[in-house]
Amino acid sequence: ACGAPTAFGASACFRAERDSRFPCCNVSCNRLIPLFLCGTASRTMFSSPRAARKSEALLRYAILASVFALAFTMRLFSVFRFESMIHEFDPWFNFRTTKYLAEKGWHEFLNWFDGESWYPLGRIIGGTIYPGLMGTAATAYWVLRFFNIAVNIRDVCVLTAPAFSGLTAIAAYLFNSEVADEAAGVTAAFFIGIVPGYISRSVAGSYDNEGVAIFALVFTFYMFLKAVRTGRLSVALGAALSYSYMVAAWGGYIFIINIIPLYVLIMLLAGRFSYRLYTAYCTLYVLGSLLGMQIPFVGFNHVQSGEHMAALGTFGLLQIYAFLLWVRSLLTPDQFKSFVRTTIMAAGGAVALALLAAMSTGYISPWEGRFYSMLDPTYAKKHIPIIASVSEHQPTTWASYFFDLHILTFFIPAGLYYLFKDVTDTGVFLIIYGVTSAYFAGVMVRLMLVLAPAACLLGGVAVSKTLKAFFGMLKASMESNKGGDESASAAASSGPASATPVRSKNARRGRTSKAAAAQEAAQSGRDLSILVTGCLAVLMVMYAWHAVWCTSEAYSSPSIVLAARGHDGSRIFFDDFREAYMWLRMNTKPGIKIMSWWDYGYQITGMSNRTVLVDNNTWNNTHIATVGRAMASNEEVAYETMRHLDADYVLVVFGGQVGYSSDDINKFLWMIRIGGGVFHDVHEPDFYGQGQYRTDKMATKTMTDSIMYRMSYYDFGKVYSAQGVTGFDRVRNYEIGLKEYELKHLEEAFTSENWIVRIFRVKKPENRGGVLADPKIARV
Amino acid sequence: SLLSRVSALRTLLQLVSMARVPASIAIFLASLAVVTSRPVAGSRTLVILQSSSLKTSHSAFFAALEARGHDVTFELATGNKAALEEHEERLYDHLVLFAPHAEEFGSSKLSAKAISHFVDAGGNVLLAADAGLSELMRDVAAEFGVEFDEDSSARVIDHFNFDAKDTGEHSRIVADGFTAEEALLPKMEAPVLFEGAAFTAMEEDTLLQPILSGSPTAYNAKPASSLKTTPSAVGKAAVLVGAVQGRNNARMVITGSLKMLSNEFFSSPVERTSSGGKGQVLPKSGNEVFASEISKWVFQERSVLRWQNAKYVSKGKDGEGKIEEGGVLRIKDEVEYSLEIAEWNGESWVPFQGDDVQVSMVMLDPYQRRTMKHDGKGLFSVQFGVPHVWGVYSFIVDYRKQGYSYIHSVLQTSVRPYHNNEYERYIPAAFPYYMSAVAMMAGLFIFVGLFMYHEESPKVKQE
């Protein structure tokens, strides 16, 4: 809905830039551009300031409403292209838990012990998740049901993220209204509504924590800044509530609880301490921590974990600082100096000692691996393969900056420039937010999501300030024109466009030389401002264009249904995953256990309703390593492990038939690494034939003996694939090494249409022969 | 209409009684005929003979089978009609293979593979071997993890325990190396006569349970030849009669001697002789009793166990509180596991009296392993504490005692941690905290009151 005015204004500006020698266009431009800059120039159109303010507010709210609608509808591409379904991996878990919550209520949900995942260890769902997302969706569901609106829980889940994206746009507007002004707010709202970096995580069906958490993030910042600006306790309380929602929704709350203390610290160092800041921070910290502790998964982290200590330290520092200010007001400067030297040093020493003791006794836990890997990008690769194995934990490339942020990449420095030029309490916060998030986004791709709002907010400041400056020039030149020649100006604004240049030329002839010089300056300023505003308009059109294209082409794929373009440009769908999961659901006994790599755990429990050994909640590295080792070992060894783990079926994903590149053979190296990290009988070099990781003729015996190879390529050697060759792997583009073999302890149970999912049954032990006892009993 | 109804009722009753009568008569007759025992399920027995003369030479054995209710069908190994299964259904429950020298079966439906499939489908097999065993019979034996000497003329020789009637090869031996497991073989009064080949278990095969082993001086070799290498089976490792029980509880008995089941050996006296001199004389060998016992075992007439009704009951904390059957258990609670086991004694199911049945509570590893007590009526139970670690557990009874059929029962359950409202609410150690919270609230109340209603005195203002 908002696309129309945007495109309209932009095309007009584009015309203006091209024909800038014709002053006639200025006026029309002047009227149209404000449609998306709203607050600045629209005032000129109305005589009474009060009426102008009113109508400006109306326009602003109209624009915000259309940005909301735009943000929502942009994310529906995935529904139109595919269908209303849950995407990817984690959303399946969230969906499953939401269903449980909606069905059984909070008490059951909080105490839910799930025996279907992580067999046989199980998982206490209530204590190991951030329940904010499920709570939000379930509440929406209950409310709608209460009003007799018969919705499907799945549709509520699918549409949660788009709806919250609209709210994020509103929150961004409020934030920038705090930092700069309403114009910057509206611009930021427009940016954030369609920024690809955020859309990638919030399309319809992408039912993940981030979908609601980004709203909570921006809104918490807004409330906090408002509290800092006004010093009102109630606003600070609002910030604490918003923060607790963020804690309930996403582990990224760590970012908030570290960046706000950083901000406070910098304000102290910069000498910008105020009691407003004191009130805002202390309220947020104390209440926010107390509320955050109510989430079982977070629990005592706020007082015990290393990641939260910066906030605690800053809280203490603020008290000391405030205390010192009070003491200073009572003492003479000399007394004060000696007082500081003696007491404060001693107190500081005591605090440092206490911290050291707490750290060494383990009361305060050391930093987690994930936290370290944020500070040192190479840490995960060296020490924690399970973190490094996830593609979204890889360092960000430059291309993805441009892809996810587009022009905002270049507006970040501009925004920082404007904020530095005119430093305010709230502006400092946005500077810190922008800089830190830019750093973290460089560490892992996933955190691009945190940078995207910052970039939008900074971009909003940059664009609106620039436009404001140049529109100011434009307006000034117009007014100087108006002052010189009322009739010409009036004609320019109301009369036919073609008549204007002639008349103004005639009018200009009669001026004095001094006035002519001023007129000349105004003319050049006007040309420059037309050029700049025109360029910006074009950039923004391109941004909108890019965002739509990204959403449509790259970010709307549900990844459980794959789409490809045929030779004639038509869309081909590969629905193998759902086919296979449905097969499991319909053809196996309830309660059977399925072994697969952890990526598919959530989908199997979600879609097949069967028990899995490991899933995407990678809390137990050893268990995952056991599965990785089984996949990497030969059939005999693997069979022992599978019997020990009670696995009834093994599921592998194989892309060699259709060229689906994120299959298990490509992930296999990580299974070997993770398995080898725990079990020392798995050696990575054993899988490298002639120094390379390959499955063709160069493959080692360990490789071709592994059940991963055996299952993936089972019977594949009998298939004529490309170029009349049998067993030609289309992902890796070569003929596979070992083609003819039989399986002993496994048998093929199901292979999907395009061979993407293959399921193997683990055979029962032979009736005669072998060792008799149950391996679990025989173990001592 | 009333009359017609009555007559209809009468015909119905007649139909019912007619259907019942033959069955009850059969049961009655069977119980009369069967003095000692009968198989627990099915008595269709197929006997495959080397030659029809075996029918007379081993008539006592077959007569005993028929007396115990077996429905015996005789076939020659060369006959072309015999089949064990049809359309994946077993035609027989038991198979007796008395054809040690048969090179091939006449029937195309019989083979070593068919026999092993028959066993995997639940059939029982008694296989009698002999010296000079054919390739076919070696293959059948190999399916059950049993290996005979490569030299087909090898037989068991014992220079210290041979029978007086021995022809000079010292291969008609007197054997008494019986297994101690009474479930497999009750205590024998007299030694048995044995003439044939001994065998060994294949490598890594643990399913073979010896019933009769050779004496320390017995060995398996070609008679009247000088030994150049160690014989394939020596002493106790030379199994004369062995039992194999599949994971599906199908049973097989392999005896190295066909003759030991013959009428001649049944009635023959035993006179243990050694190269040094003669021993005591027993008027009758133990062969008949032995043959009867091993055939009872192999045809599921004895030592058959069945289990049912495995369940657990949560007894709450300290074994008190609510008693809940099944469902999710809670850590640190008490749980009672129970299982009923019955034994087939040949006539009826009687309570099993074993005192070494254990149950394990397993999550990857056993967390609890307890020996169950029984009440004499076949109910085995034990109460113990649920482990302090939550997860998905299995109660596993994996009872594999020699001679008995296996019991493998798995019962899965979840063990959950405490719910958030199941912890103790007021604990003494926390009273300082409660106090501080109350004190804080009171302090705040007083402070607010003072702050709001306190006016600074003008005196201070003047200063």
Side-chain angles (χ1 to χ4, degrees):
Chain A
C2 193
T6 315
F8 186 32
S11 66
C13 291
F14 186 65
R15 200 146 41 79
E17 183 209 21
R18 220 175 32 192
D19 309 333
S20 57
R21 54 206 146 90
F22 296 115
C24 66
C25 287
N26 296 345
V27 180
S28 65
C29 211
N30 211 359
R31 276 192 184 159
L32 286 168
I33 288 173
L35 276 177
F36 84 87
L37 291 181
C38 83
T40 50
S42 59
R43 217 164 287 166
T44 56
M45 291 194 289
F46 302 95
S47 49
S48 145
R50 201 173 157 204
R53 227 178 295 130
K54 263 190 178 171
S55 63
E56 183 198 301
L58 189 68
L59 187 64
R60 206 160 60 217
Y61 295 140
I63 290 177
L64 282 178
S66 42
V67 165
F68 186 99
L70 173 70
F72 188 82
T73 47
M74 269 282 273
R75 287 163 169 83
L76 297 185
F77 265 114
S78 56
V79 174
F80 296 132
R81 285 276 156 76
F82 298 91
E83 61 183 74
S84 170
M85 66 165 123
I86 303 294
H87 290 190
E88 294 201 306
F89 306 105
D90 288 22
W92 273 100
F93 171 77
N94 299 331
F95 176 52
R96 178 167 161 249
T97 46
T98 308
K99 271 200 294 191
Y100 191 92
L101 171 61
E103 204 177 298
K104 309 217 168 169
W106 275 109
H107 180 78
E108 286 287 310
F109 179 70
L110 195 64
N111 294 311
W112 181 15
F113 175 77
D114 179 21
E116 284 196 357
S117 55
W118 290 94
Y119 179 86
L121 307 170
R123 178 179 174 192
I124 306 166
I125 301 281
T128 55
I129 55 162
Y130 294 102
L133 178 72
M134 299 86 188
T136 307
T139 310
Y141 177 73
W142 290 328
V143 167
L144 290 171
R145 283 270 158 170
F146 179 77
F147 289 109
N148 286 326
I149 303 171
V151 286
N152 189 337
I153 182 81
R154 189 197 64 222
D155 291 326
V156 174
C157 293
V158 164
L159 295 179
T160 300
F164 270 80
S165 307
L167 292 178
T168 310
I170 309 288
Y173 160 76
L174 293 170
F175 183 97
N176 256 12
S177 307
E178 251 352 279
V179 172
D181 52 23
E182 280 84 3
V186 173
T187 322
F190 165 71
F191 278 136
I192 210 167
I194 58 172
V195 65
Y198 180 27
I199 284 185
S200 69
R201 293 264 161 185
S202 60
V203 292
S206 181
Y207 179 57
D208 213 343
N209 291 339
E210 291 93 327
V212 299
I214 293 300
F215 161 73
L217 180 91
V218 177
F219 194 72
T220 309
F221 285 161
Y222 155 69
M223 289 299 266
F224 176 67
L225 286 190
K226 192 166 182 191
V228 169
R229 190 172 60 81
T230 59
R232 279 166 61 191
L233 209 57
S234 60
V235 181
L237 174 67
L241 286 174
S242 172
Y243 170 73
S244 69
Y245 180 67
M246 175 73 184
V247 177
W250 194 35
Y253 78 88
I254 293 279
F255 182 67
I256 298 186
I257 202 65
N258 278 300
I259 195 173
I260 288 181
L262 183 67
Y263 164 71
V264 172
L265 208 62
I266 287 174
M267 291 289 276
L268 283 189
L269 290 176
R272 298 183 78 96
F273 174 82
S274 65
Y275 284 104
R276 289 175 285 113
L277 179 72
Y278 179 85
T279 314
Y281 181 73
C282 292
T283 313
L284 173 69
Y285 178 72
V286 173
L287 290 179
S289 295
L290 281 176
L291 289 169
M293 283 162 90
Q294 308 311 312
I295 308 299
F297 190 33
V298 178
F300 282 92
N301 277 356
H302 272 96
V303 287
Q304 287 194 340
S305 102
E307 286 93 345
H308 300 74
M309 284 303 117
L312 180 62
T314 309
F315 177 69
L317 199 67
L318 262 186
Q319 310 311 319
I320 294 171
Y321 194 86
F323 176 69
L324 282 184
L325 284 183
W326 178 68
V327 169
R328 191 165 67 177
S329 68
L330 299 178
L331 299 177
T332 62
D334 280 348
Q335 285 173 319
F336 181 66
K337 260 181 201 163
S338 59
F339 173 77
V340 167
R341 226 172 278 138
T342 52
T343 53
I344 301 307
M345 290 300 177
V351 168
L353 271 178
L355 264 180
L356 203 68
M359 293 279 246
S360 55
T361 53
Y363 183 75
I364 295 175
S365 66
W367 288 349
E368 279 178 30
R370 274 169 218 261
F371 199 73
Y372 271 120
S373 63
M374 299 275 288
L375 300 178
D376 174 11
T378 58
Y379 180 85
K381 207 160 205 175
K382 275 185 249 163
H383 298 102
I384 326 167
I386 201 147
I387 292 181
S389 75
V390 181
S391 63
E392 62 185 24
H393 291 164
Q394 306 301 320
T396 319
T397 57
W398 270 110
S400 67
Y401 275 102
F402 188 75
F403 194 79
D404 279 351
L405 302 175
H406 199 248
I407 55 167
L408 293 173
T409 321
F410 311 109
F411 284 146
I412 294 172
L416 289 176
Y417 164 75
Y418 279 116
L419 291 172
F420 266 117
K421 215 177 100 186
D422 181 20
V423 178
T424 57
D425 282 359
T426 48
V428 172
F429 184 82
L430 185 51
I431 293 171
I432 295 168
Y433 176 31
V435 172
T436 49
S437 63
Y439 172 74
F440 289 132
V443 176
M444 32 171 109
V445 183
R446 184 179 166 179
L447 294 176
M448 188 60 92
L449 186 65
V450 179
L451 174 62
C456 292
L457 296 168
L458 285 167
V461 171
V463 170
S464 90
K465 293 253 179 182
T466 311
L467 283 179
K468 215 175 200 176
F470 283 100
F471 267 111
M473 281 170 76
L474 204 60
K475 205 167 126 193
S477 70
M478 292 302 294
E479 263 159 18
S480 68
N481 240 357
K482 208 193 306 186
D485 193 340
E486 284 285 354
S487 63
S489 206
S493 58
S494 62
S498 59
T500 324
V502 189
R503 281 199 197 174
S504 61
K505 256 182 211 164
N506 289 344
R508 212 177 289 152
R509 244 172 241 151
R511 300 273 159 262
T512 60
S513 63
K514 199 178 171 186
Q519 192 72 23
E520 207 54 37
Q523 173 72 37
S524 69
R526 184 166 57 189
D527 288 351
L528 181 67
S529 49
I530 287 168
L531 187 72
V532 170
T533 49
C535 279
L536 275 179
V538 170
L539 281 177
M540 284 170 83
V541 170
M542 283 169 68
Y543 170 75
W545 203 279
H546 174 79
V548 173
W549 178 81
C550 277
T551 314
S552 151
E553 294 299 316
Y555 289 143
S556 291
S557 166
S559 96
I560 50 165
V561 178
L562 309 166
R565 296 257 185 219
H567 295 295
D568 54 349
S570 62
R571 280 175 172 268
I572 305 168
F573 291 103
F574 298 110
D575 208 352
D576 286 42
F577 284 104
R578 291 198 296 176
E579 183 194 352
Y581 295 143
M582 192 46 93
W583 183 87
L584 278 176
R585 195 186 184 99
M586 306 306 290
N587 293 286
T588 59
K589 277 187 219 153
I592 60 138
K593 288 95 193 172
I594 297 164
M595 181 168 102
S596 73
W597 191 233
W598 57 266
D599 296 25
Y600 317 108
Y602 279 166
Q603 294 181 349
I604 295 172
T605 41
M607 282 190 253
S608 307
N609 200 18
R610 294 291 178 270
T611 307
V612 293
L613 303 183
V614 290
D615 66 29
N616 311 47
N617 176 268
T618 52
W619 66 275
N620 189 323
N621 190 36
T622 313
H623 212 53
I624 289 180
T626 312
V627 173
R629 173 174 173 265
M631 294 289 194
S633 37
N634 64 39
E635 235 188 310
E636 296 295 334
V637 177
Y639 185 59
E640 204 177 294
T641 313
M642 290 186 293
R643 274 191 74 190
H644 190 224
L645 292 172
D646 287 339
D648 298 296
Y649 288 87
V650 189
L651 181 145
V652 289
V653 170
F654 170 63
Q657 173 78 358
V658 284
Y660 171 59
S661 63
S662 46
D663 67 349
D664 277 352
I665 293 279
N666 274 358
K667 289 172 184 170
F668 190 33
L669 209 48
W670 288 110
M671 303 183 203
I672 297 162
R673 279 183 196 152
I674 292 167
V678 176
F679 300 100
H680 297 292
D681 54 348
V682 183
H683 305 286
E684 196 180 332
D686 293 350
F687 293 86
Y688 291 116
Q690 299 173 11
Q692 281 178 303
Y693 173 76
R694 299 181 75 95
T695 53
D696 61 355
K697 287 208 166 54
M698 289 200 279
T700 57
K701 191 167 179 329
T702 319
M703 180 61 162
T704 54
D705 276 352
S706 68
I707 60 163
M708 178 47 75
Y709 182 98
R710 295 274 166 133
M711 288 190 292
S712 291
Y713 292 124
Y714 183 67
D715 274 354
F716 190 58
K718 295 174 187 164
V719 179
Y720 278 96
S721 26
Q723 293 101 36
V725 186
T726 57
F728 186 84
D729 188 324
R730 288 205 193 172
V731 171
R732 289 150 285 267
N733 282 318
Y734 47 62
E735 208 180 324
I736 58 168
L738 183 70
K739 288 182 187 173
E740 289 190 9
Y741 52 84
E742 283 303 317
L743 295 170
K744 190 180 169 199
H745 296 299
L746 293 163
E747 59 183 341
E748 186 182 7
F750 176 80
T751 294
S752 64
E753 188 186 348
N754 300 298
W755 290 53
I756 291 179
V757 183
R758 312 197 69 180
I759 300 169
F760 290 81
R761 186 182 295 112
V762 182
K763 285 190 200 163
K764 290 256 168 316
E766 280 174 39
N767 189 31
R768 294 157 286 112
V771 179
L772 187 61
D774 190 319
K776 291 195 292 297
I777 296 297
R779 272 165 71 111
V780 177
Chain B
S1 65
L2 191 71
L3 274 175
S4 68
R5 261 190 211 168
V6 168
S7 66
L9 200 65
R10 197 174 288 161
T11 44
L12 194 69
L13 280 171
Q14 269 173 349
L15 277 174
V16 171
S17 58
M18 269 167 73
R20 267 196 189 156
V21 162
S24 55
I25 287 173
I27 292 169
F28 179 64
L29 288 178
S31 60
L32 272 185
V34 179
V35 189
T36 47
S37 69
R38 61 192 161 84
V40 63
S43 54
R44 298 167 298 172
T45 308
L46 176 68
V47 179
I48 293 179
L49 299 171
Q50 180 84 49
S51 65
S52 48
S53 65
L54 286 175
K55 218 166 163 179
T56 45
S57 65
H58 289 66
S59 60
F61 178 75
F62 296 128
L65 275 189
E66 277 171 343
R68 295 207 307 268
H70 283 265
D71 177 11
V72 184
T73 312
F74 290 97
E75 291 279 353
L76 281 179
T78 50
N80 56 4
K81 278 188 291 181
L84 291 168
E85 287 174 288
E86 196 171 6
H87 309 306
E88 294 282 313
E89 285 282 321
R90 276 191 288 108
L91 296 175
Y92 298 98
D93 303 302
H94 316 291
L95 172 67
V96 180
L97 263 178
F98 280 1
H101 307 298
E103 288 298 341
E104 58 180 17
F105 289 116
S107 165
S108 61
K109 286 179 179 168
L110 283 181
S111 63
K113 280 266 174 272
I115 290 168
S116 55
H117 191 268
F118 172 74
V119 171
D120 292 347
N124 307 302
V125 175
L126 173 63
L127 170 69
D130 198 0
L133 199 64
S134 68
E135 275 302 312
L136 175 67
M137 287 300 142
R138 279 167 194 276
D139 289 349
V140 174
E143 289 284 337
F144 306 131
V146 165
E147 203 167 21
F148 282 89
D149 196 318
E150 281 174 29
D151 183 359
S152 64
S153 59
R155 58 191 63 197
V156 186
I157 298 168
D158 192 337
H159 300 298
F160 296 90
N161 295 299
F162 55 88
D163 188 52
K165 286 186 181 168
D166 183 71
T167 52
E169 286 181 345
H170 297 176
S171 62
R172 179 174 165 138
I173 63 169
V174 178
D176 56 359
F178 304 114
T179 174
E181 298 294 338
E182 300 230 340
L184 211 48
L185 182 73
K187 203 159 170 58
M188 292 290 293
E189 297 294 328
V192 295
L193 290 170
F194 184 95
E195 187 174 351
F199 53 89
T200 51
M202 273 176 163
E203 233 178 313
E204 289 177 8
D205 206 314
T206 59
L207 296 192
L208 180 68
Q209 309 161 12
I211 299 177
L212 179 63
S213 314
S215 71
T217 51
Y219 65 99
N220 198 48
K222 190 175 175 182
S225 65
S226 55
L227 285 176
K228 298 206 170 66
T229 53
T230 313
S232 61
V234 179
K236 288 202 84 173
V239 183
L240 307 179
V241 180
V244 175
Q245 186 164 262
R247 288 187 174 81
N248 62 349
N249 284 330
R251 289 173 174 177
M252 293 133 271
V253 164
I254 298 158
T255 162
S257 163
L258 177 58
K259 274 194 190 144
M260 75 181 299
L261 305 174
S262 66
N263 299 352
E264 182 205 341
F265 274 45
F266 277 8
S267 54
S268 173
V270 182
E271 187 175 5
R272 190 193 296 261
T273 316
S274 75
S275 306
K278 295 196 172 191
Q280 67 176 126
V281 183
L282 286 169
K284 192 169 181 291
S285 72
N287 282 40
E288 186 166 9
V289 180
F290 183 79
S292 160
E293 291 302 334
I294 61 166
S295 62
K296 275 185 198 167
W297 185 85
V298 72
F299 297 137
Q300 314 261 359
E301 293 167 40
R302 174 159 70 70
S303 305
V304 178
L305 298 182
R306 76 168 182 199
W307 61 271
Q308 62 181 11
N309 212 5
K311 65 179 184 195
Y312 60 91
V313 178
S314 168
K315 296 257 175 169
K317 210 172 180 179
D318 308 322
E320 296 158 7
K322 58 178 179 177
I323 293 180
E324 229 179 289
E325 194 179 319
V328 177
L329 295 171
R330 191 176 65 173
I331 55 165
K332 301 181 184 177
D333 276 359
E334 289 285 311
V335 64
E336 187 184 69
Y337 177 85
S338 62
L339 173 81
E340 288 168 26
I341 305 177
E343 183 182 0
W344 179 254
N345 67 356
E347 285 167 55
S348 61
W349 290 104
V350 294
F352 181 57
Q353 305 292 339
D355 51 6
D356 52 359
V357 186
Q358 291 185 323
V359 61
S360 306
M361 200 170 175
V362 180
M363 178 177 70
L364 289 180
D365 300 301
Y367 278 69
Q368 284 277 19
R369 178 171 293 166
R370 296 299 170 105
T371 305
M372 292 194 279
K373 286 197 171 70
H374 65 85
D375 61 355
K377 293 173 191 159
L379 180 69
F380 289 72
S381 65
V382 63
Q383 183 174 326
F384 53 88
V386 177
H388 294 195
V389 183
W390 44 263
V392 180
Y393 285 83
S394 301
F395 291 101
I396 300 181
V397 175
D398 192 25
Y399 188 66
R400 296 176 188 279
K401 192 161 184 188
Q402 276 205 4
Y404 285 110
S405 39
Y406 308 132
I407 292 175
H408 189 232
S409 153
V410 179
L411 187 61
Q412 188 177 307
T413 180
S414 293
V415 173
R416 64 166 174 82
Y418 285 121
H419 283 169
N420 63 333
N421 56 357
E422 283 175 342
Y423 292 95
E424 253 186 275
R425 188 140 291 185
Y426 296 106
I427 51 175
F431 272 100
Y433 299 99
Y434 306 144
M435 284 308 293
S436 78
V438 171
M440 190 78 192
M441 284 190 276
L444 186 74
F445 186 76
I446 294 165
F447 172 77
V448 168
L450 285 178
F451 188 77
M452 287 179 77
Y453 298 105
H454 172 75
E455 270 183 52
E456 289 190 1
S457 59
K459 189 181 160 193
V460 176
K461 262 183 188 170
Q462 278 166 8
E463 277 177 8

